[in-house]
Amino acid sequence: MKTKKYFIISALAFLAYSCQDDDYEKVQPTPGQDVQFGASLEQSATRTIYGDETNNAFPINWVNGDTVVVFSPDCASKGGVGQATYIVNVGEENSGKQNYANSLDKTGEIGVRWGNNTTGSFYSVYPASSLYSDVSRDCKTLTLTMPAQQDNTFERTENGIKSYPDMRACFMYAYTQNVPSGETVNLKYKPISTAIRFKLQGPLNNDNGPVTINYVRLYAPTGTNINGTFEFADVTDTSTGIPEPKRGLNYVTMNVADKDGSYLTLSAKESVELNAFLLTGHDITIDEKWYFEVAISDGTVFQKHIVADGTQTQENMTLKPGMIHRLPDLPPLTASGSWDVSNWMRNIQRNVYLSEISIPGSWYSLDQDYQSDIRTVEEQYNIGVRAFHFDTRWIARQSGWWPNYDYTPTSLGIAGTASNYDADEGRYLQENGMTFETALGQVVEKIKSDEYMVVMCTFAQGSAQYGDWRKEISDACNKYPGKIVEASSLNENTVVGDVLGKVIVIVNTYTGGEVVNSKCMFFNMSLLLAEDEFKNNPYYEKPLYRYNITESGITMYGTHAQATNDFDSQGSYDNDRQSYVPTLAERKTKLQNILTWSQNNHAKGNAVHNNWIYMGLGGYAIPKSFWDSDDYGAVSTGTNGLNTWLGAKVEEMYDNEAYYPVGIVLMNFVGSSYTSKNLSLVQRILEMNNMYRKAYDPRRSPVDGAFIDGSAGGNRVQSAAPGYSSGMKDNQTDAIGWTRCR
């Protein structure tokens, strides 16, 4: 029932059930009177759902405050009240210790009421939740929806790790027929969920450290429904007492967290017994095509097909509604010992909003000044970079003789990719520069089917204007059909599953006017800072447009500055650049404002997701004197640099086990940027997506792990695409131990 620390789904002594009097001839209707209920849990000679095993039995007890829905087609059709929700009252001293209720207390002013019917048949389901159980208006149809993600909570005790199941998924059903009007209705509940139990084991030793579990998932063969939505089409037909599937899933996910929402970490030789509830509708026999999938925080995903180890009986391998089944222990897990960037998105549920994904990227991605440590798309991709910034300018063919050269623009290029781009005082890029189309193609070439990437485009201020550079970018996108996300498809409800295998191209433009048939998103966040705008706002709030004219409903919360004043206590206005030049301290203040907004937004139940975050850490420090050169490291990787600052902030999230999105992060020197614990900043940002609580349970706060509405149920925040799963595919490998998926 309620998942509480003290709740043990443990031994039951069941109440005997007395039959109703069959003589109804003298019954007089009692219209308008509340029906009185009593409730117990049905006795079973075999295992029911589980708990601490005693005498080969796994019983259930009520927890004070459990809620049930009670309904009656007879009362509904005869002028009475057909359904109502009730709280189970067992008394605080007996909570979790007895299988019968002292009373069922209605939660509203009106409970189920007798109508003009002389007798009534009554039905009930646990739990009472609009998310998981729905009764039709005529009270004849009951629909149940099994949570696809179930929360196994745990606590560490002197005797090991104790786990507790997600009782939202432990459906129980009761019906009592032909009760004379005015008499007490005794409801006797029996489980209809199927429970499985199995042991998850930590590593054999701690050579590579303990293992943190993101989720455990059980897969049945495609087409075998073990989850989803099930229905009693006509509750008055009590011949089976088992609902039939309407919309099924072939998997169930178990999240494992402590009471504060922190993920379970298993050290050497530690283990925990986990539980999952299934809805099947009928008996199903497990075969070698069934498998477990376990994702750990370093990005590794393991699979293990279920093979009987000799201790399982045929009864255990045949799933039966209302029964528990023990499956073979899973092999010990092994940490990979290194971060595999190819797995960074594999663990993320496909119904996570794009606003909740954090993506590390490079500023001036291909420029030898800003990325001198690692300067190609391939090398940056291989360390985990998934966002690229291309500053464009026109490539020109030079002709004539000094000093009267002529320049003929030929195509749009990428600043920093030519051996010398000071042609015509830097207004053009020389011919050996890389074209934008080529650079975009290098990104597209790396995209995998189970991830997405971002390309951010700007136009070098002060460079030569020739044609429409925005159209040139849009035309290049059209050269890669099926690989660029259509901006017209992006909105605040877009989720990870909608953009997999593609690149989102965003153009930061100060040029107005429509760009016809463009796949790009557009916004205007000038690199030439206006002093008043920069100083008087916590950060920029710029709408994202389709075709540069149509609002998408998404706002970019961001900040950046190309030039930084790192030798003065306050910013200054640069007359040559016609731009305000902030200090590092000012830039950190803006960045912190964005982080604070993100943390506060995602810590509450009504978090908004129509805001994308952009953290611009790149740029250079202006020279301190005429003899000095631009300083790129001081802005980023220096002791006081922005990358160093953000690295410490990210490590605070890990230390506090409180994660929130940092959005698109563009930085100098991505290959040389580390956190305060000397770990790759790129890696930690990517890994944070897997640690971020809401990626697995949208009902929990990422800050403290608590349910966002304070209850054990909560509201589903991420309902945009509830059908998406992790996207992992069964490789059909029958392994003795784990199969490591890559």
Side-chain angles (χ1 to χ4, degrees):
M1 287 72 152
K2 279 188 178 177
T3 304
K4 292 188 177 180
K5 254 192 187 180
Y6 58 80
F7 175 60
I8 302 174
I9 314 174
S10 71
L12 270 182
F14 292 97
L15 294 182
Y17 177 66
S18 58
C19 297
Q20 299 289 339
D21 189 347
D22 292 328
D23 183 7
Y24 300 137
E25 293 182 1
K26 299 180 180 180
V27 174
Q28 295 296 318
T30 55
Q33 291 188 14
D34 281 354
V35 180
Q36 302 302 311
F37 297 101
S40 64
L41 298 175
E42 186 173 89
Q43 186 174 3
S44 175
T46 58
R47 298 182 183 188
T48 61
I49 310 302
Y50 61 96
D52 289 341
E53 185 171 358
T54 303
N55 297 325
N56 201 36
F58 297 86
I60 307 173
N61 291 325
W62 291 113
V63 171
N64 208 47
D66 284 337
T67 56
V68 297
V69 175
V70 183
F71 53 101
S72 171
D74 297 312
C75 293
S77 62
K78 296 293 184 179
V81 176
Q83 62 176 292
T85 301
Y86 291 81
I87 293 179
V88 177
N89 175 22
V90 293
E92 289 296 337
E93 68 281 1
N94 295 317
S95 188
K97 299 177 181 178
Q98 66 183 36
N99 72 309
Y100 61 92
N102 296 345
S103 65
L104 292 184
D105 303 327
K106 59 189 179 186
T107 59
E109 295 183 4
I110 301 176
V112 177
R113 289 182 175 177
W114 294 102
N116 294 320
N117 47 314
T118 57
T119 64
S121 294
F122 297 85
Y123 308 84
S124 182
V125 66
Y126 168 89
S129 168
S130 59
L131 294 175
Y132 311 122
S133 55
D134 180 63
V135 180
S136 63
R137 294 188 64 179
D138 63 4
C139 297
K140 289 187 176 181
T141 301
L142 170 63
T143 303
L144 305 176
T145 300
M146 175 68 77
Q149 298 181 77
Q150 299 173 19
D151 297 324
N152 279 241
T153 54
F154 71 90
E155 65 174 335
R156 295 183 181 275
T157 69
E158 294 180 356
N159 298 320
I161 303 174
K162 180 71 176 177
S163 68
Y164 303 93
D166 189 339
M167 293 303 289
R168 299 169 307 153
C170 180
F171 287 110
M172 295 191 293
Y173 185 57
Y175 62 88
T176 302
Q177 296 180 300
N178 301 324
V179 180
S181 180
E183 290 195 6
T184 297
V185 178
N186 292 307
L187 294 169
K188 193 163 55 168
Y189 293 82
K190 64 179 181 180
I192 54 176
S193 294
T194 302
I196 60 169
R197 298 205 81 178
F198 57 94
K199 183 183 291 185
L200 182 66
Q201 302 185 76
L204 292 175
N205 56 64
N206 279 335
D207 289 347
N208 292 322
V211 175
T212 297
I213 312 300
N214 286 134
Y215 68 78
V216 181
R217 187 171 291 136
L218 173 66
Y219 279 96
T222 301
T224 301
N225 297 328
I226 60 174
N227 209 324
T229 300
F230 290 69
E231 183 181 81
F232 289 97
D234 183 1
V235 296
T236 62
D237 178 7
T238 59
S239 58
T240 63
I242 299 173
E244 293 294 322
K246 289 182 63 180
R247 295 181 298 276
L249 300 173
N250 71 320
Y251 64 90
V252 62
T253 302
M254 290 147 277
N255 297 317
V256 187
D258 66 14
K259 62 183 179 61
D260 295 322
S262 300
Y263 286 119
L264 170 65
T265 297
L266 294 176
S267 297
K269 299 183 179 179
E270 283 190 325
S271 65
V272 62
E273 192 170 66
L274 299 182
N275 177 90
F277 290 110
L278 317 176
L279 272 179
T280 62
H282 56 86
D283 292 2
I284 298 178
T285 299
I286 296 176
D287 59 24
E288 69 280 356
K289 294 182 180 180
W290 291 60
Y291 65 97
F292 281 102
E293 179 179 288
V294 180
I296 64 178
S297 63
D298 74 354
T300 304
V301 177
F302 297 97
Q303 288 183 352
K304 175 66 173 75
H305 286 252
I306 300 174
V307 181
D309 61 6
T311 64
Q312 282 70 39
T313 64
Q314 185 62 33
E315 180 183 4
N316 253 9
M317 301 301 284
T318 300
L319 303 180
K320 297 178 179 294
M323 303 295 288
I324 180 171
H325 303 267
R326 284 195 180 277
L327 299 183
D329 295 346
L330 296 182
L333 291 164
T334 302
S336 67
S338 62
W339 170 252
D340 184 352
V341 296
S342 68
N343 284 336
W344 81 275
M345 189 168 274
R346 189 183 296 252
N347 295 355
I348 298 174
Q349 291 296 95
R350 287 355 190 183
N351 65 336
V352 176
Y353 294 119
L354 296 191
S355 62
E356 295 181 321
I357 300 296
S358 300
I359 303 182
S362 52
W363 177 256
Y364 272 64
S365 298
L366 305 182
D367 193 294
Q368 63 265 30
D369 290 327
Y370 297 86
Q371 305 296 338
S372 59
D373 56 340
I374 177 169
R375 196 180 150 230
T376 68
V377 167
E378 181 176 9
E379 289 175 319
Q380 291 179 16
Y381 178 88
N382 288 341
I383 68 166
V385 172
R386 292 299 184 269
F388 298 87
H389 168 229
F390 296 144
D391 193 47
T392 63
R393 69 174 67 202
W394 292 103
I395 294 174
R397 180 179 298 112
Q398 179 179 298
S399 60
W401 300 93
W402 183 86
N404 299 313
Y405 289 120
D406 290 325
Y407 297 93
T408 303
T410 57
S411 57
L412 191 68
I414 304 297
T417 60
S419 58
N420 176 10
Y421 57 89
D422 285 337
D424 194 19
E425 298 182 347
R427 286 167 47 80
Y428 290 106
L429 185 67
Q430 289 196 349
E431 284 188 276
N432 63 341
M434 182 184 295
T435 67
F436 173 80
E437 181 180 327
T438 299
L440 179 62
Q442 291 181 356
V443 176
V444 168
E445 182 183 46
K446 302 303 295 184
I447 190 71
K448 295 182 179 178
S449 62
D450 59 356
E451 68 178 2
Y452 75 94
M453 291 195 283
V454 173
V455 167
M456 184 90 75
C457 306
T458 54
F459 187 77
Q461 285 98 340
S463 64
Q465 297 283 350
Y466 173 78
D468 189 342
W469 65 281
R470 307 165 308 156
K471 183 178 185 302
E472 192 85 2
I473 289 174
S474 300
D475 289 346
C477 291
N478 292 332
K479 300 290 181 63
Y480 301 101
K483 293 297 184 179
I484 308 298
V485 177
E486 292 273 2
S488 58
S489 70
L490 293 170
N491 55 55
E492 64 179 280
N493 293 319
T494 303
V495 294
V496 169
D498 297 326
V499 295
L500 292 178
K502 297 181 181 179
V503 178
I504 298 174
V505 178
I506 305 173
V507 179
N508 183 7
T509 176
Y510 49 82
T511 305
E514 182 178 7
V515 184
V516 179
N517 297 327
S518 178
K519 292 182 171 67
C520 306
M521 294 286 265
F522 295 86
F523 73 112
N524 181 6
M525 192 180 296
S526 178
L527 285 172
L528 299 177
L529 305 182
E531 183 172 0
D532 289 343
E533 183 182 21
F534 180 84
K535 286 188 171 183
N536 296 333
N537 295 286
Y539 39 76
Y540 290 123
E541 298 182 37
K542 299 294 184 178
L544 283 168
Y545 293 91
R546 306 180 185 116
Y547 318 115
N548 204 35
I549 58 170
T550 304
E551 289 199 21
S552 65
I554 305 169
T555 300
M556 186 79 86
Y557 283 6
T559 182
H560 60 200
Q562 178 64 353
T564 306
N565 185 343
D566 77 326
F567 59 87
D568 203 345
S569 60
Q570 60 184 14
S572 59
Y573 192 82
D574 187 324
N575 289 315
D576 292 334
R577 288 178 52 86
Q578 294 296 300
S579 172
Y580 178 70
V581 181
T583 65
L584 279 173
E586 286 181 306
R587 294 188 66 182
K588 290 176 185 176
T589 297
K590 304 303 180 184
L591 294 165
Q592 181 59 63
N593 290 342
I594 295 175
L595 292 182
T596 300
W597 176 85
S598 180
Q599 182 179 28
N600 291 337
N601 177 61
H602 294 95
K604 60 186 182 181
N606 58 339
V608 298
H609 50 271
N610 60 343
N611 305 88
W612 291 4
I613 294 174
Y614 160 45
M615 306 273 283
L617 309 186
Y620 64 90
I622 60 176
K624 296 181 180 181
S625 69
F626 176 79
W627 307 105
D628 294 325
S629 300
D630 295 339
D631 190 341
Y632 305 93
V635 168
S636 53
T637 56
T639 303
N640 198 37
L642 300 179
N643 298 10
T644 307
W645 175 85
L646 182 62
K649 294 292 180 181
V650 168
E651 283 304 325
E652 286 180 12
M653 298 188 198
Y654 284 87
D655 292 340
N656 299 330
E657 296 181 334
Y659 310 96
Y660 46 90
V662 297
I664 303 167
V665 182
L666 300 181
M667 64 188 92
N668 298 345
F669 306 125
V670 289
S672 303
S673 298
Y674 295 90
T675 71
S676 57
K677 294 188 177 179
N678 203 33
L679 298 169
S680 165
L681 178 56
V682 171
Q683 169 188 326
R684 295 300 260 178
I685 291 174
L686 284 183
E687 188 177 8
M688 193 165 62
N689 288 291
N690 294 329
M691 302 298 289
Y692 175 43
R693 184 68 199 183
K694 288 178 74 67
Y696 300 95
D697 191 344
R699 298 162 300 112
R700 288 188 182 272
S701 163
V703 177
D704 61 8
F707 285 99
I708 53 182
D709 71 346
S711 74
N715 297 314
R716 288 186 182 273
V717 177
Q718 297 167 333
S719 57
Y724 281 114
S725 69
S726 75
M728 281 295 297
K729 303 298 183 184
D730 182 5
N731 63 9
Q732 296 298 320
T733 301
D734 188 6
I736 300 299
W738 288 110
T739 298
R740 191 184 296 256
C741 303
R742 294 302 185 197

